[in-house]
Amino acid sequence: MIGPLIASLKDFVSQGQLSNAFKTFSSIQHYASSSGSFEHILHPISSLLLSCINLKSLPQGKQLHAQIILLGLDQHPVLVPRLVTLYTRLNLLADAHIVAENSNILQPLPWNLLISSYVRNGLFVEAISAYKQMLNKQVKPDDFTYPSVLKACGEASDLVLGMEIHKSIEASSLESCLFVQNALVSVYGKLGEVEVARHLFDNMPSRDAISWNTMISNYASRGMWAEAFWLFESMQKEGIEQSIIIWNTIAGGCLRTGNFRGALVLLSRMRTSVHHLDSVAMVIGLNACSHIGALKFGMEIHGYADAGYVNGEDFVSSEEDLEEMNVMGNAF
């Protein structure tokens, strides 16, 4: 009897028919109550809760939360994270915090969801507070906890806690985790400890594009352009893919340091590498052109901007063109 009901509930959930799904769930509850067996009720509740999350349905979600409490399943390790997700998805972070705080399960997932939601909403002090509560409840952080709370430390200018977290990471098995290492490089750079960030960067067991971009951004944010330029060139030599943001950062650095020819050369290389020049690159190009009187290129950029194009086609077609206009120069 209960098998067809569960199958029917699955169908309603997959079709987004939440009202019919809840009616079917009531029948499942009635059957379970009359038979005295609740062993098959967990999966329907979990499916319904996931549907409430996907449809951002608060009334039904709260109704289900109440049922979960009545059934004594409010400490279940599958349902607690989903309840936290329900409330964070609807930006009801206080409710999500209560669910995590009242939970006795020792897995970090509910706290990770809460902390990352606080960070995503710019509530960095609250994220740090949630992290401390997590530790007080003897919940062990994992490789998803640390990047979020480290970002919160950086945004809240909390170097002391950042260093404490660094020590905790060193004492754990997560010291070589790439995501965690990238977060450490970022937070030390954000807090002005660029030398520490560089030491960590140099000693990483492995690096990805985020590692390089983060370290270059650290230098750029402090106006340490020589170091940023050198690292950018090293990144290219190693064949690491560079995002358009980092290209713009370095081109902007050329502009700031008065190397206008270098900025245009870089934009030429950027067009070849990423096949795209966005509005930021165009502004940099226009500024560089205005400083060295490169009227032809300036007019081309202006024309593309007026037309709404940002793909950079035909703009600074080659470094040879720059050389012919006597604007060729060493970028770094």
Side-chain angles (χ1 to χ4, degrees), residues 199-270:
H199 176 76
L200 288 168
F201 174 83
D202 287 340
N203 289 280
M204 290 176 70
S206 62
R207 292 190 288 255
D208 61 4
I210 293 174
S211 315
W212 288 85
N213 290 338
T214 299
M215 195 62 233
I216 290 170
S217 297
N218 287 343
Y219 282 135
S221 66
R222 297 287 158 177
M224 301 171 69
W225 292 112
E227 293 85 351
F229 295 155
W230 185 88
L231 208 58
F232 179 80
E233 286 296 294
S234 298
M235 186 180 184
Q236 286 199 320
K237 288 175 183 176
E238 293 204 15
I240 307 297
E241 183 178 357
Q242 294 162 310
S243 69
I244 195 167
I245 294 174
I246 215 66
W247 279 98
N248 285 336
T249 297
I250 296 300
C254 290
L255 203 64
R256 286 174 177 267
T257 55
N259 189 356
F260 309 118
R261 296 178 179 87
L264 289 177
V265 171
L266 200 64
L267 292 180
S268 173
R269 291 165 57 187
M270 175 180 173

Side-chain angles (χ1 to χ4, degrees), residues 103-167:
S103 169
N104 293 323
I105 63 175
L106 296 179
Q107 62 174 248
L109 180 56
W111 292 98
N112 291 347
L113 293 167
L114 178 64
I115 292 168
S116 64
S117 295
Y118 276 138
V119 171
R120 190 166 55 251
N121 285 276
L123 301 170
F124 306 114
V125 173
E126 289 82 352
I128 290 170
S129 177
Y131 171 73
K132 291 179 178 178
Q133 279 186 288
M134 173 185 178
L135 295 183
N136 288 337
K137 291 177 74 70
Q138 307 301 312
V139 179
K140 187 178 179 181
D142 63 9
D143 54 343
F144 291 100
T145 314
Y146 288 126
S148 290
V149 73
L150 283 170
K151 181 175 176 60
C153 290
E155 297 295 338
S157 301
D158 195 336
L159 177 60
V160 173
L161 180 59
M163 294 174 69
E164 288 178 5
I165 292 172
H166 187 184
K167 290 179 182 177

Side-chain angles (χ1 to χ4, degrees), residues 6-192:
I6 292 176
S8 179
L9 184 142
K10 286 181 180 178
D11 288 339
F12 286 134
V13 166
S14 66
Q15 296 165 16
Q17 298 182 27
L18 205 54
S19 178
N20 288 333
F22 265 87
K23 289 177 182 177
T24 305
F25 178 66
S26 294
S27 299
I28 292 173
Q29 278 187 293
H30 178 74
Y31 178 86
S33 178
S34 60
S35 65
S37 174
F38 289 90
E39 60 183 292
H40 298 296
I41 209 166
L42 177 63
H43 185 73
I45 289 178
S46 181
S47 296
L48 268 180
L49 192 52
L50 184 59
S51 185
C52 290
I53 291 168
N54 292 334
L55 296 174
K56 294 185 177 182
S57 177
L58 180 61
Q60 288 93 336
K62 280 187 169 290
Q63 176 186 338
L64 200 56
H65 189 181
Q67 287 292 323
I68 288 169
I69 294 172
L70 286 173
L71 290 167
L73 296 172
D74 53 313
Q75 298 295 324
H76 196 280
V78 171
L79 299 181
V80 170
R82 290 200 172 180
L83 284 170
V84 173
T85 300
L86 171 71
Y87 291 121
T88 56
R89 188 71 61 88
L90 293 164
N91 282 328
L92 298 172
L93 301 188
D95 295 89
H97 199 135
I98 290 171
V99 173
E101 193 173 29
N102 290 339
S103 169
N104 293 323
I105 63 175
L106 296 179
Q107 62 174 248
L109 180 56
W111 292 98
N112 291 347
L113 293 167
L114 178 64
I115 292 168
S116 64
S117 295
Y118 276 138
V119 171
R120 190 166 55 251
N121 285 276
L123 301 170
F124 306 114
V125 173
E126 289 82 352
I128 290 170
S129 177
Y131 171 73
K132 291 179 178 178
Q133 279 186 288
M134 173 185 178
L135 295 183
N136 288 337
K137 291 177 74 70
Q138 307 301 312
V139 179
K140 187 178 179 181
D142 63 9
D143 54 343
F144 291 100
T145 314
Y146 288 126
S148 290
V149 73
L150 283 170
K151 181 175 176 60
C153 290
E155 297 295 338
S157 301
D158 195 336
L159 177 60
V160 173
L161 180 59
M163 294 174 69
E164 288 178 5
I165 292 172
H166 187 184
K167 290 179 182 177
S168 298
I169 292 168
E170 289 180 330
S172 72
S173 59
L174 301 173
E175 188 177 7
S176 60
C177 175
L178 181 58
F179 300 120
V180 174
Q181 287 296 310
N182 284 342
L184 283 169
V185 171
S186 178
V187 73
Y188 276 116
K190 181 80 173 178
L191 296 173

Side-chain angles (χ1 to χ4, degrees), residues 278-300:
D278 64 0
S279 58
V280 175
M282 286 188 174
V283 170
I284 293 170
L286 286 171
N287 271 280
C289 289
S290 68
H291 278 91
I292 58 176
L295 181 60
K296 176 187 174 183
F297 290 143
M299 291 178 67
E300 287 180 6

